[in-house]
PDB file of all heavy atoms in Angstrom:
ATOM      1  N   GLN C  64     -20.234   0.205 -13.709  1.00 97.00           N
ATOM      2  CA  GLN C  64     -20.254  -1.084 -13.013  1.00 97.00           C
ATOM      3  C   GLN C  64     -19.144  -1.161 -11.972  1.00 97.00           C
ATOM      4  O   GLN C  64     -19.355  -1.622 -10.848  1.00 97.00           O
ATOM      5  CB  GLN C  64     -20.082  -2.225 -14.015  1.00 97.00           C
ATOM      6  CG  GLN C  64     -21.275  -2.496 -14.902  1.00 97.00           C
ATOM      7  CD  GLN C  64     -20.964  -3.571 -15.938  1.00 97.00           C
ATOM      8  OE1 GLN C  64     -19.909  -3.553 -16.576  1.00 97.00           O
ATOM      9  NE2 GLN C  64     -21.877  -4.518 -16.094  1.00 97.00           N
ATOM     10  N   ALA C  65     -17.950  -0.719 -12.357  1.00 97.00           N
ATOM     11  CA  ALA C  65     -16.805  -0.783 -11.445  1.00 97.00           C
ATOM     12  C   ALA C  65     -17.048   0.076 -10.202  1.00 97.00           C
ATOM     13  O   ALA C  65     -16.713  -0.328  -9.077  1.00 97.00           O
ATOM     14  CB  ALA C  65     -15.543  -0.327 -12.166  1.00 97.00           C
ATOM     15  N   GLU C  66     -17.635   1.244 -10.384  1.00 96.00           N
ATOM     16  CA  GLU C  66     -17.907   2.117  -9.244  1.00 96.00           C
ATOM     17  C   GLU C  66     -18.959   1.494  -8.329  1.00 96.00           C
ATOM     18  O   GLU C  66     -18.868   1.602  -7.099  1.00 96.00           O
ATOM     19  CB  GLU C  66     -18.336   3.495  -9.729  1.00 96.00           C
ATOM     20  CG  GLU C  66     -17.182   4.272 -10.358  1.00 96.00           C
ATOM     21  CD  GLU C  66     -17.570   5.673 -10.789  1.00 96.00           C
ATOM     22  OE1 GLU C  66     -18.746   6.056 -10.594  1.00 96.00           O
ATOM     23  OE2 GLU C  66     -16.697   6.383 -11.316  1.00 96.00           O
ATOM     24  N   GLN C  67     -19.959   0.827  -8.911  1.00 97.00           N
ATOM     25  CA  GLN C  67     -20.964   0.155  -8.084  1.00 97.00           C
ATOM     26  C   GLN C  67     -20.346  -1.021  -7.341  1.00 97.00           C
ATOM     27  O   GLN C  67     -20.673  -1.277  -6.176  1.00 97.00           O
ATOM     28  CB  GLN C  67     -22.130  -0.338  -8.953  1.00 97.00           C
ATOM     29  CG  GLN C  67     -23.246  -1.029  -8.171  1.00 97.00           C
ATOM     30  CD  GLN C  67     -23.841  -0.149  -7.088  1.00 97.00           C
ATOM     31  OE1 GLN C  67     -24.310   0.950  -7.375  1.00 97.00           O
ATOM     32  NE2 GLN C  67     -23.832  -0.615  -5.844  1.00 97.00           N
ATOM     33  N   ALA C  68     -19.438  -1.734  -8.007  1.00 97.00           N
ATOM     34  CA  ALA C  68     -18.756  -2.856  -7.350  1.00 97.00           C
ATOM     35  C   ALA C  68     -17.956  -2.366  -6.145  1.00 97.00           C
ATOM     36  O   ALA C  68     -17.910  -3.038  -5.108  1.00 97.00           O
ATOM     37  CB  ALA C  68     -17.826  -3.562  -8.346  1.00 97.00           C
ATOM     38  N   VAL C  69     -17.352  -1.196  -6.259  1.00 96.00           N
ATOM     39  CA  VAL C  69     -16.598  -0.634  -5.136  1.00 96.00           C
ATOM     40  C   VAL C  69     -17.532  -0.271  -3.989  1.00 96.00           C
ATOM     41  O   VAL C  69     -17.184  -0.438  -2.812  1.00 96.00           O
ATOM     42  CB  VAL C  69     -15.769   0.588  -5.589  1.00 96.00           C
ATOM     43  CG1 VAL C  69     -15.160   1.311  -4.385  1.00 96.00           C
ATOM     44  CG2 VAL C  69     -14.660   0.148  -6.538  1.00 96.00           C
ATOM     45  N   VAL C  70     -18.734   0.177  -4.301  1.00 96.00           N
ATOM     46  CA  VAL C  70     -19.732   0.455  -3.248  1.00 96.00           C
ATOM     47  C   VAL C  70     -20.034  -0.829  -2.473  1.00 96.00           C
ATOM     48  O   VAL C  70     -20.057  -0.836  -1.240  1.00 96.00           O
ATOM     49  CB  VAL C  70     -21.037   1.031  -3.857  1.00 96.00           C
ATOM     50  CG1 VAL C  70     -22.148   1.087  -2.794  1.00 96.00           C
ATOM     51  CG2 VAL C  70     -20.785   2.430  -4.418  1.00 96.00           C
ATOM     52  N   PHE C  71     -20.235  -1.926  -3.204  1.00 98.00           N
ATOM     53  CA  PHE C  71     -20.498  -3.213  -2.545  1.00 98.00           C
ATOM     54  C   PHE C  71     -19.268  -3.686  -1.758  1.00 98.00           C
ATOM     55  O   PHE C  71     -19.400  -4.226  -0.655  1.00 98.00           O
ATOM     56  CB  PHE C  71     -20.889  -4.270  -3.587  1.00 98.00           C
ATOM     57  CG  PHE C  71     -22.257  -4.083  -4.177  1.00 98.00           C
ATOM     58  CD1 PHE C  71     -22.474  -4.248  -5.540  1.00 98.00           C
ATOM     59  CD2 PHE C  71     -23.334  -3.736  -3.372  1.00 98.00           C
ATOM     60  CE1 PHE C  71     -23.738  -4.083  -6.090  1.00 98.00           C
ATOM     61  CE2 PHE C  71     -24.605  -3.567  -3.917  1.00 98.00           C
ATOM     62  CZ  PHE C  71     -24.808  -3.731  -5.281  1.00 98.00           C
ATOM     63  N   TYR C  72     -18.100  -3.505  -2.349  1.00 97.00           N
ATOM     64  CA  TYR C  72     -16.852  -3.868  -1.664  1.00 97.00           C
ATOM     65  C   TYR C  72     -16.796  -3.185  -0.305  1.00 97.00           C
ATOM     66  O   TYR C  72     -16.518  -3.818   0.721  1.00 97.00           O
ATOM     67  CB  TYR C  72     -15.663  -3.450  -2.534  1.00 97.00           C
ATOM     68  CG  TYR C  72     -14.308  -3.622  -1.873  1.00 97.00           C
ATOM     69  CD1 TYR C  72     -13.524  -4.745  -2.120  1.00 97.00           C
ATOM     70  CD2 TYR C  72     -13.804  -2.644  -0.994  1.00 97.00           C
ATOM     71  CE1 TYR C  72     -12.280  -4.900  -1.516  1.00 97.00           C
ATOM     72  CE2 TYR C  72     -12.567  -2.796  -0.389  1.00 97.00           C
ATOM     73  CZ  TYR C  72     -11.818  -3.925  -0.650  1.00 97.00           C
ATOM     74  OH  TYR C  72     -10.595  -4.074  -0.037  1.00 97.00           O
ATOM     75  N   ARG C  73     -17.036  -1.897  -0.279  1.00 94.00           N
ATOM     76  CA  ARG C  73     -16.940  -1.122   0.964  1.00 94.00           C
ATOM     77  C   ARG C  73     -18.024  -1.533   1.958  1.00 94.00           C
ATOM     78  O   ARG C  73     -17.820  -1.435   3.171  1.00 94.00           O
ATOM     79  CB  ARG C  73     -17.030   0.366   0.651  1.00 94.00           C
ATOM     80  CG  ARG C  73     -15.774   0.883  -0.058  1.00 94.00           C
ATOM     81  CD  ARG C  73     -15.927   2.316  -0.521  1.00 94.00           C
ATOM     82  NE  ARG C  73     -14.672   2.801  -1.122  1.00 94.00           N
ATOM     83  CZ  ARG C  73     -14.580   3.915  -1.848  1.00 94.00           C
ATOM     84  NH1 ARG C  73     -15.653   4.661  -2.062  1.00 94.00           N
ATOM     85  NH2 ARG C  73     -13.409   4.273  -2.345  1.00 94.00           N
ATOM     86  N   GLU C  74     -19.144  -1.995   1.438  1.00 96.00           N
ATOM     87  CA  GLU C  74     -20.237  -2.460   2.300  1.00 96.00           C
ATOM     88  C   GLU C  74     -19.744  -3.593   3.198  1.00 96.00           C
ATOM     89  O   GLU C  74     -19.979  -3.605   4.413  1.00 96.00           O
ATOM     90  CB  GLU C  74     -21.388  -2.933   1.405  1.00 96.00           C
ATOM     91  CG  GLU C  74     -22.689  -3.212   2.091  1.00 96.00           C
ATOM     92  CD  GLU C  74     -23.767  -3.576   1.074  1.00 96.00           C
ATOM     93  OE1 GLU C  74     -24.320  -2.650   0.448  1.00 96.00           O
ATOM     94  OE2 GLU C  74     -24.046  -4.785   0.879  1.00 96.00           O
ATOM     95  N   TYR C  75     -19.058  -4.558   2.599  1.00 97.00           N
ATOM     96  CA  TYR C  75     -18.503  -5.677   3.381  1.00 97.00           C
ATOM     97  C   TYR C  75     -17.293  -5.238   4.179  1.00 97.00           C
ATOM     98  O   TYR C  75     -17.145  -5.589   5.359  1.00 97.00           O
ATOM     99  CB  TYR C  75     -18.108  -6.834   2.450  1.00 97.00           C
ATOM    100  CG  TYR C  75     -17.518  -8.024   3.203  1.00 97.00           C
ATOM    101  CD1 TYR C  75     -18.328  -9.085   3.604  1.00 97.00           C
ATOM    102  CD2 TYR C  75     -16.167  -8.062   3.540  1.00 97.00           C
ATOM    103  CE1 TYR C  75     -17.802 -10.156   4.318  1.00 97.00           C
ATOM    104  CE2 TYR C  75     -15.633  -9.123   4.259  1.00 97.00           C
ATOM    105  CZ  TYR C  75     -16.453 -10.170   4.635  1.00 97.00           C
ATOM    106  OH  TYR C  75     -15.923 -11.213   5.353  1.00 97.00           O
ATOM    107  N   PHE C  76     -16.411  -4.467   3.523  1.00 94.00           N
ATOM    108  CA  PHE C  76     -15.142  -4.114   4.143  1.00 94.00           C
ATOM    109  C   PHE C  76     -15.338  -3.344   5.449  1.00 94.00           C
ATOM    110  O   PHE C  76     -14.645  -3.597   6.442  1.00 94.00           O
ATOM    111  CB  PHE C  76     -14.302  -3.280   3.163  1.00 94.00           C
ATOM    112  CG  PHE C  76     -12.875  -3.098   3.587  1.00 94.00           C
ATOM    113  CD1 PHE C  76     -11.950  -4.126   3.438  1.00 94.00           C
ATOM    114  CD2 PHE C  76     -12.446  -1.901   4.150  1.00 94.00           C
ATOM    115  CE1 PHE C  76     -10.629  -3.966   3.837  1.00 94.00           C
ATOM    116  CE2 PHE C  76     -11.131  -1.737   4.549  1.00 94.00           C
ATOM    117  CZ  PHE C  76     -10.217  -2.768   4.395  1.00 94.00           C
ATOM    118  N   LEU C  77     -16.289  -2.431   5.454  1.00 92.00           N
ATOM    119  CA  LEU C  77     -16.525  -1.634   6.660  1.00 92.00           C
ATOM    120  C   LEU C  77     -17.085  -2.469   7.803  1.00 92.00           C
ATOM    121  O   LEU C  77     -16.803  -2.213   8.974  1.00 92.00           O
ATOM    122  CB  LEU C  77     -17.475  -0.479   6.350  1.00 92.00           C
ATOM    123  CG  LEU C  77     -16.819   0.778   5.778  1.00 92.00           C
ATOM    124  CD1 LEU C  77     -17.871   1.796   5.364  1.00 92.00           C
ATOM    125  CD2 LEU C  77     -15.871   1.399   6.793  1.00 92.00           C
ATOM    126  N   GLN C  78     -17.889  -3.474   7.467  1.00 92.00           N
ATOM    127  CA  GLN C  78     -18.512  -4.306   8.500  1.00 92.00           C
ATOM    128  C   GLN C  78     -17.556  -5.371   9.034  1.00 92.00           C
ATOM    129  O   GLN C  78     -17.513  -5.621  10.238  1.00 92.00           O
ATOM    130  CB  GLN C  78     -19.774  -4.981   7.946  1.00 92.00           C
ATOM    131  CG  GLN C  78     -20.905  -4.021   7.649  1.00 92.00           C
ATOM    132  CD  GLN C  78     -22.130  -4.732   7.099  1.00 92.00           C
ATOM    133  OE1 GLN C  78     -22.195  -5.960   7.060  1.00 92.00           O
ATOM    134  NE2 GLN C  78     -23.117  -3.972   6.650  1.00 92.00           N
ATOM    135  N   LYS C  79     -16.796  -5.987   8.142  1.00 94.00           N
ATOM    136  CA  LYS C  79     -15.979  -7.140   8.544  1.00 94.00           C
ATOM    137  C   LYS C  79     -14.529  -7.082   8.054  1.00 94.00           C
ATOM    138  O   LYS C  79     -13.604  -7.414   8.794  1.00 94.00           O
ATOM    139  CB  LYS C  79     -16.611  -8.434   8.017  1.00 94.00           C
ATOM    140  CG  LYS C  79     -18.006  -8.726   8.554  1.00 94.00           C
ATOM    141  CD  LYS C  79     -18.551 -10.022   7.970  1.00 94.00           C
ATOM    142  CE  LYS C  79     -19.945 -10.326   8.484  1.00 94.00           C
ATOM    143  NZ  LYS C  79     -20.486 -11.585   7.882  1.00 94.00           N
ATOM    144  N   GLY C  80     -14.341  -6.703   6.807  1.00 94.00           N
ATOM    145  CA  GLY C  80     -13.032  -6.860   6.169  1.00 94.00           C
ATOM    146  C   GLY C  80     -11.921  -5.989   6.715  1.00 94.00           C
ATOM    147  O   GLY C  80     -10.748  -6.344   6.616  1.00 94.00           O
ATOM    148  N   LEU C  81     -12.293  -4.842   7.293  1.00 92.00           N
ATOM    149  CA  LEU C  81     -11.300  -3.874   7.760  1.00 92.00           C
ATOM    150  C   LEU C  81     -10.252  -4.496   8.678  1.00 92.00           C
ATOM    151  O   LEU C  81      -9.064  -4.208   8.577  1.00 92.00           O
ATOM    152  CB  LEU C  81     -12.018  -2.728   8.480  1.00 92.00           C
ATOM    153  CG  LEU C  81     -11.229  -1.445   8.730  1.00 92.00           C
ATOM    154  CD1 LEU C  81     -10.860  -0.770   7.424  1.00 92.00           C
ATOM    155  CD2 LEU C  81     -12.042  -0.489   9.595  1.00 92.00           C
TER     156      LEU C  81
END
Side-chain angles (χ1 to χ4, degrees):
Q64 288 175 315
E66 289 183 0
Q67 181 57 56
V69 171
V70 170
F71 288 137
Y72 173 98
R73 289 173 177 166
E74 191 176 280
Y75 180 94
F76 192 77
L77 275 174
Q78 292 180 7
K79 298 180 180 179
L81 195 65

